Amino acid sequence: MADIPTDELVQWLDSRRTGSVVYVSFGSMVKLSKEQTKALARGLEGSKQHFVWTIKVMESGSSGNAEFLPEGFVERTKDRGVVIWSWAPKLLILSHPSVGGIHEPLWVELYA
């Protein structure tokens, strides 16, 4: 199950313009370090782009997920971004009309 209930995710996607959301994921095989995750978060925030971001992090035994993001990131981006720390309904997300961009290394490799 995703961190956000599926019906809430669909409602959030439905409220966005067609093609206006970027899906960001590195798949289940790639886990980012804390520094890499924070750098990507700063880039997403600076882009002002709507996004759904599925995060898998490298470090284990942490005190919580918040330490992997810049302080205040979730609050500052809550109106234009969804962060999912666990499994995400990828097919539902990618097939939604509001999703117009994908950042996922596997897609880059397959379709480059």
Side-chain angles (χ1 to χ4, degrees):
M1 194 59 164
D3 295 334
I4 180 172
T6 301
D7 59 333
E8 286 182 32
L9 179 59
V10 169
Q11 183 178 17
W12 186 87
L13 289 167
D14 285 346
S15 70
R16 304 304 182 253
R17 286 187 339 267
T18 299
S20 68
V21 177
V22 174
Y23 174 69
V24 180
S25 174
F26 286 86
S28 59
M29 299 298 286
V30 176
K31 293 182 176 44
L32 301 177
S33 69
K34 189 183 301 184
E35 293 77 23
Q36 291 169 321
T37 304
K38 285 184 177 187
L40 184 54
R42 286 190 294 273
L44 283 171
E45 184 173 3
S47 76
K48 306 294 186 205
Q49 185 69 44
H50 294 278
F51 64 87
V52 175
W53 183 13
T54 303
I55 304 176
K56 307 251 187 320
V57 291
M58 187 183 307
E59 289 90 347
S60 59
S62 66
S63 58
N65 296 331
E67 70 184 84
F68 290 93
L69 297 174
E71 187 174 336
F73 172 81
V74 173
E75 182 64 27
R76 290 189 304 271
T77 62
K78 68 181 180 185
D79 293 331
R80 61 185 174 82
V82 173
V83 177
I84 300 174
W85 291 94
S86 61
W87 176 87
K90 187 174 177 178
L91 182 58
L92 177 124
I93 295 167
L94 293 178
S95 64
H96 196 281
S98 69
V99 177
I102 302 166
H103 179 279
E104 186 174 51
L106 179 60
W107 285 82
V108 173
E109 291 174 18
L110 287 175
Y111 299 102

